[in-house]
Short mmCIF file of all heavy atoms in Angstrom, two decimals:
data_model
loop_
_atom_site.label_atom_id
_atom_site.label_comp_id
_atom_site.label_asym_id
_atom_site.label_seq_id
_atom_site.Cartn_x
_atom_site.Cartn_y
_atom_site.Cartn_z
N GLU X 8 19.51 -40.35 22.73
CA GLU X 8 19.28 -39.28 21.79
C GLU X 8 19.89 -39.65 20.40
O GLU X 8 19.32 -39.26 19.35
CB GLU X 8 19.87 -37.97 22.28
CG GLU X 8 19.05 -37.37 23.44
CD GLU X 8 19.73 -36.11 23.98
OE1 GLU X 8 20.84 -35.80 23.50
OE2 GLU X 8 19.10 -35.45 24.77
N GLN X 9 21.00 -40.32 20.45
CA GLN X 9 21.61 -40.74 19.14
C GLN X 9 20.74 -41.72 18.40
O GLN X 9 20.56 -41.61 17.21
CB GLN X 9 22.98 -41.34 19.42
CG GLN X 9 23.76 -41.79 18.16
CD GLN X 9 25.08 -42.49 18.45
OE1 GLN X 9 25.43 -42.54 19.66
NE2 GLN X 9 25.70 -42.96 17.49
N LEU X 10 20.19 -42.69 19.12
CA LEU X 10 19.28 -43.64 18.51
C LEU X 10 18.00 -42.97 18.07
O LEU X 10 17.49 -43.27 16.93
CB LEU X 10 18.95 -44.73 19.57
CG LEU X 10 17.94 -45.82 19.10
CD1 LEU X 10 18.53 -46.59 17.88
CD2 LEU X 10 17.62 -46.77 20.24
N HIS X 11 17.52 -42.01 18.88
CA HIS X 11 16.31 -41.26 18.44
C HIS X 11 16.55 -40.48 17.18
O HIS X 11 15.69 -40.39 16.34
CB HIS X 11 15.95 -40.33 19.62
CG HIS X 11 14.62 -39.67 19.45
ND1 HIS X 11 14.43 -38.56 18.64
CD2 HIS X 11 13.37 -39.93 19.94
CE1 HIS X 11 13.15 -38.14 18.68
NE2 HIS X 11 12.48 -38.99 19.48
N GLN X 12 17.75 -39.90 17.09
CA GLN X 12 18.06 -39.10 15.92
C GLN X 12 18.10 -40.03 14.58
O GLN X 12 17.69 -39.52 13.56
CB GLN X 12 19.42 -38.44 16.12
CG GLN X 12 19.82 -37.45 15.04
CD GLN X 12 18.88 -36.22 15.03
OE1 GLN X 12 18.34 -35.85 16.04
NE2 GLN X 12 18.78 -35.58 13.90
N GLU X 13 18.59 -41.18 14.74
CA GLU X 13 18.69 -42.12 13.60
C GLU X 13 17.26 -42.57 13.14
O GLU X 13 17.06 -42.80 11.95
CB GLU X 13 19.48 -43.32 13.90
CG GLU X 13 20.96 -43.06 14.27
CD GLU X 13 21.66 -42.20 13.18
OE1 GLU X 13 21.40 -42.45 12.09
OE2 GLU X 13 22.43 -41.30 13.55
N LEU X 14 16.34 -42.61 14.06
CA LEU X 14 14.97 -43.05 13.70
C LEU X 14 14.06 -41.84 13.57
O LEU X 14 12.84 -42.05 13.55
CB LEU X 14 14.46 -43.94 14.82
CG LEU X 14 15.17 -45.30 14.90
CD1 LEU X 14 14.62 -46.06 16.17
CD2 LEU X 14 15.00 -46.16 13.70
N ARG X 15 14.56 -40.65 13.42
CA ARG X 15 13.75 -39.46 13.44
C ARG X 15 12.71 -39.46 12.30
O ARG X 15 11.51 -39.11 12.48
CB ARG X 15 14.61 -38.23 13.38
CG ARG X 15 13.86 -36.93 13.63
CD ARG X 15 14.80 -35.71 13.70
NE ARG X 15 14.10 -34.49 14.05
CZ ARG X 15 13.86 -34.12 15.25
NH1 ARG X 15 14.23 -34.86 16.27
NH2 ARG X 15 13.20 -33.01 15.51
N LEU X 16 13.19 -39.79 11.10
CA LEU X 16 12.29 -39.77 9.95
C LEU X 16 11.18 -40.84 10.12
O LEU X 16 10.01 -40.56 9.89
CB LEU X 16 13.15 -40.11 8.68
CG LEU X 16 12.26 -40.28 7.40
CD1 LEU X 16 11.55 -38.96 7.03
CD2 LEU X 16 13.16 -40.64 6.22
N LEU X 17 11.55 -42.01 10.54
CA LEU X 17 10.52 -43.08 10.76
C LEU X 17 9.52 -42.66 11.83
O LEU X 17 8.32 -42.83 11.68
CB LEU X 17 11.24 -44.39 11.16
CG LEU X 17 10.26 -45.57 11.49
CD1 LEU X 17 9.38 -45.90 10.33
CD2 LEU X 17 11.03 -46.78 11.92
N LEU X 18 9.97 -42.04 12.94
CA LEU X 18 9.12 -41.65 13.99
C LEU X 18 8.16 -40.59 13.53
O LEU X 18 6.98 -40.53 13.91
CB LEU X 18 9.93 -41.12 15.20
CG LEU X 18 10.75 -42.23 15.88
CD1 LEU X 18 11.64 -41.63 17.00
CD2 LEU X 18 9.87 -43.31 16.48
N LEU X 19 8.63 -39.61 12.71
CA LEU X 19 7.79 -38.57 12.19
C LEU X 19 6.70 -39.14 11.31
O LEU X 19 5.51 -38.72 11.40
CB LEU X 19 8.65 -37.59 11.36
CG LEU X 19 7.89 -36.42 10.72
CD1 LEU X 19 7.22 -35.60 11.79
CD2 LEU X 19 8.86 -35.57 9.86
N ILE X 20 7.05 -40.14 10.42
CA ILE X 20 6.01 -40.80 9.58
C ILE X 20 5.04 -41.56 10.43
O ILE X 20 3.84 -41.56 10.19
CB ILE X 20 6.71 -41.68 8.57
CG1 ILE X 20 7.56 -40.83 7.63
CG2 ILE X 20 5.70 -42.51 7.79
CD1 ILE X 20 8.39 -41.71 6.67
N CYS X 21 5.50 -42.24 11.51
CA CYS X 21 4.68 -42.95 12.43
C CYS X 21 3.68 -42.07 13.14
O CYS X 21 2.52 -42.40 13.41
CB CYS X 21 5.51 -43.76 13.42
SG CYS X 21 6.37 -45.19 12.70
N VAL X 22 4.16 -40.85 13.55
CA VAL X 22 3.24 -39.85 14.21
C VAL X 22 2.14 -39.48 13.26
O VAL X 22 0.96 -39.43 13.66
CB VAL X 22 4.07 -38.70 14.72
CG1 VAL X 22 3.15 -37.53 15.12
CG2 VAL X 22 4.95 -39.10 15.89
N LEU X 23 2.46 -39.17 12.01
CA LEU X 23 1.41 -38.78 11.05
C LEU X 23 0.48 -39.90 10.75
O LEU X 23 -0.69 -39.70 10.42
CB LEU X 23 2.15 -38.29 9.79
CG LEU X 23 2.96 -37.01 9.87
CD1 LEU X 23 3.67 -36.70 8.56
CD2 LEU X 23 2.08 -35.86 10.31
N ALA X 24 0.98 -41.18 10.78
CA ALA X 24 0.13 -42.33 10.46
C ALA X 24 -0.63 -42.83 11.71
O ALA X 24 -1.39 -43.78 11.60
CB ALA X 24 0.97 -43.45 9.90
N GLY X 25 -0.40 -42.22 12.85
CA GLY X 25 -1.03 -42.72 14.11
C GLY X 25 -0.43 -43.95 14.69
O GLY X 25 -1.03 -44.61 15.54
N SER X 26 0.84 -44.25 14.35
CA SER X 26 1.48 -45.46 14.90
C SER X 26 2.38 -45.13 16.08
O SER X 26 2.91 -46.06 16.71
CB SER X 26 2.35 -46.10 13.77
OG SER X 26 1.57 -46.42 12.64
N ALA X 27 2.56 -43.85 16.38
CA ALA X 27 3.36 -43.44 17.57
C ALA X 27 2.80 -42.13 18.06
O ALA X 27 2.29 -41.32 17.35
CB ALA X 27 4.79 -43.27 17.11
N PRO X 28 2.85 -41.90 19.36
CA PRO X 28 2.39 -40.64 19.96
C PRO X 28 3.34 -39.51 19.65
O PRO X 28 4.51 -39.69 19.43
CB PRO X 28 2.32 -40.96 21.47
CG PRO X 28 3.39 -41.98 21.68
CD PRO X 28 3.35 -42.86 20.41
N LEU X 29 2.77 -38.32 19.58
CA LEU X 29 3.55 -37.14 19.32
C LEU X 29 4.58 -36.91 20.44
O LEU X 29 5.59 -36.21 20.21
CB LEU X 29 2.66 -35.93 19.10
CG LEU X 29 3.29 -34.63 18.50
CD1 LEU X 29 3.94 -34.94 17.17
CD2 LEU X 29 2.25 -33.58 18.40
N ALA X 30 4.34 -37.49 21.62
CA ALA X 30 5.21 -37.30 22.72
C ALA X 30 6.58 -38.01 22.49
O ALA X 30 7.50 -37.86 23.28
CB ALA X 30 4.59 -37.83 24.01
N VAL X 31 6.70 -38.75 21.40
CA VAL X 31 7.97 -39.37 21.08
C VAL X 31 8.98 -38.30 20.79
O VAL X 31 10.24 -38.52 20.95
CB VAL X 31 7.84 -40.31 19.84
CG1 VAL X 31 7.65 -39.53 18.57
CG2 VAL X 31 9.01 -41.22 19.78
N PHE X 32 8.60 -37.08 20.47
CA PHE X 32 9.48 -35.93 20.32
C PHE X 32 9.36 -35.13 21.68
O PHE X 32 8.27 -34.63 22.01
CB PHE X 32 9.09 -35.06 19.19
CG PHE X 32 9.25 -35.79 17.87
CD1 PHE X 32 8.10 -36.25 17.19
CD2 PHE X 32 10.46 -36.03 17.29
CE1 PHE X 32 8.17 -36.89 16.00
CE2 PHE X 32 10.55 -36.70 16.07
CZ PHE X 32 9.42 -37.14 15.42
N PRO X 33 10.42 -35.01 22.46
CA PRO X 33 10.32 -34.38 23.79
C PRO X 33 9.73 -32.94 23.79
O PRO X 33 9.10 -32.53 24.71
CB PRO X 33 11.80 -34.33 24.27
CG PRO X 33 12.47 -35.45 23.50
CD PRO X 33 11.77 -35.45 22.17
N ARG X 34 9.95 -32.18 22.70
CA ARG X 34 9.45 -30.85 22.62
C ARG X 34 7.97 -30.79 22.34
O ARG X 34 7.39 -29.74 22.41
CB ARG X 34 10.21 -30.03 21.56
CG ARG X 34 11.69 -29.91 21.83
CD ARG X 34 12.35 -29.09 20.76
NE ARG X 34 13.83 -28.91 21.02
CZ ARG X 34 14.62 -28.25 20.20
NH1 ARG X 34 14.16 -27.67 19.10
NH2 ARG X 34 15.92 -28.14 20.51
N CYS X 35 7.35 -31.90 21.99
CA CYS X 35 5.95 -31.94 21.65
C CYS X 35 5.12 -32.86 22.57
O CYS X 35 4.31 -33.63 22.15
CB CYS X 35 5.81 -32.43 20.20
SG CYS X 35 6.70 -31.46 19.00
N SER X 36 5.44 -32.76 23.87
CA SER X 36 4.81 -33.66 24.81
C SER X 36 3.72 -32.97 25.63
O SER X 36 3.20 -33.54 26.59
CB SER X 36 5.82 -34.21 25.81
OG SER X 36 6.56 -33.18 26.42
N SER X 37 3.35 -31.75 25.26
CA SER X 37 2.28 -31.03 26.00
C SER X 37 0.90 -31.53 25.61
O SER X 37 0.73 -32.29 24.65
CB SER X 37 2.39 -29.52 25.75
OG SER X 37 2.13 -29.20 24.40
N ARG X 38 -0.10 -31.10 26.34
CA ARG X 38 -1.46 -31.47 26.10
C ARG X 38 -1.99 -30.89 24.78
O ARG X 38 -2.84 -31.49 24.11
CB ARG X 38 -2.38 -31.09 27.27
CG ARG X 38 -2.10 -31.81 28.53
CD ARG X 38 -3.07 -31.40 29.62
NE ARG X 38 -2.83 -32.12 30.86
CZ ARG X 38 -3.57 -32.00 31.97
NH1 ARG X 38 -4.61 -31.12 32.01
NH2 ARG X 38 -3.27 -32.69 33.04
N VAL X 39 -1.48 -29.70 24.44
CA VAL X 39 -1.96 -29.05 23.24
C VAL X 39 -1.46 -29.87 22.01
O VAL X 39 -2.29 -30.13 21.04
CB VAL X 39 -1.35 -27.62 23.13
CG1 VAL X 39 -1.69 -26.97 21.77
CG2 VAL X 39 -1.83 -26.84 24.29
N HIS X 40 -0.25 -30.35 22.05
CA HIS X 40 0.25 -31.23 20.92
C HIS X 40 -0.52 -32.52 20.86
O HIS X 40 -0.81 -32.99 19.76
CB HIS X 40 1.76 -31.47 21.13
CG HIS X 40 2.60 -30.24 20.89
ND1 HIS X 40 3.07 -29.47 22.00
CD2 HIS X 40 3.16 -29.70 19.82
CE1 HIS X 40 3.80 -28.54 21.55
NE2 HIS X 40 3.85 -28.54 20.21
N ALA X 41 -0.84 -33.02 22.06
CA ALA X 41 -1.61 -34.34 22.02
C ALA X 41 -3.03 -34.08 21.44
O ALA X 41 -3.48 -34.92 20.70
CB ALA X 41 -1.72 -34.84 23.44
N ALA X 42 -3.61 -32.95 21.79
CA ALA X 42 -4.95 -32.66 21.28
C ALA X 42 -4.88 -32.47 19.76
O ALA X 42 -5.81 -32.93 19.08
CB ALA X 42 -5.51 -31.40 21.94
N VAL X 43 -3.83 -31.87 19.24
CA VAL X 43 -3.69 -31.67 17.76
C VAL X 43 -3.57 -32.99 17.09
O VAL X 43 -4.18 -33.23 16.04
CB VAL X 43 -2.50 -30.75 17.48
CG1 VAL X 43 -2.19 -30.75 16.00
CG2 VAL X 43 -2.71 -29.31 18.02
N GLN X 44 -2.77 -33.85 17.63
CA GLN X 44 -2.65 -35.20 17.03
C GLN X 44 -3.97 -35.95 17.07
O GLN X 44 -4.34 -36.65 16.11
CB GLN X 44 -1.54 -36.03 17.75
CG GLN X 44 -1.28 -37.34 17.00
CD GLN X 44 -0.22 -38.21 17.67
OE1 GLN X 44 0.01 -38.02 18.93
NE2 GLN X 44 0.36 -39.13 16.96
N HIS X 45 -4.66 -35.90 18.21
CA HIS X 45 -5.95 -36.62 18.31
C HIS X 45 -6.98 -36.10 17.24
O HIS X 45 -7.69 -36.84 16.65
CB HIS X 45 -6.51 -36.39 19.72
CG HIS X 45 -5.75 -37.14 20.78
ND1 HIS X 45 -5.93 -36.91 22.09
CD2 HIS X 45 -4.81 -38.07 20.66
CE1 HIS X 45 -5.08 -37.63 22.78
NE2 HIS X 45 -4.38 -38.39 21.94
#
């Protein structure tokens, strides 16, 4: 979680750019969140 916290900004940008799944954030791992990202 500490490592995840340090890369939080980069992971958020990667999710918006399509370089990482939204499930990289544990609270956003449902099918609804996946459908929104798709």
Side-chain angles (χ1 to χ4, degrees):
E8 289 177 351
Q9 181 183 357
L10 179 62
H11 189 281
Q12 188 67 26
E13 300 305 322
L14 295 174
R15 190 175 185 85
L16 176 61
L17 176 60
L18 293 176
L19 179 60
I20 296 175
C21 287
V22 167
L23 295 175
S26 304
L29 193 55
V31 72
F32 298 104
R34 297 181 180 179
C35 304
S36 57
S37 65
R38 294 183 178 181
V39 176
H40 291 94
V43 171
Q44 187 183 20
H45 293 165

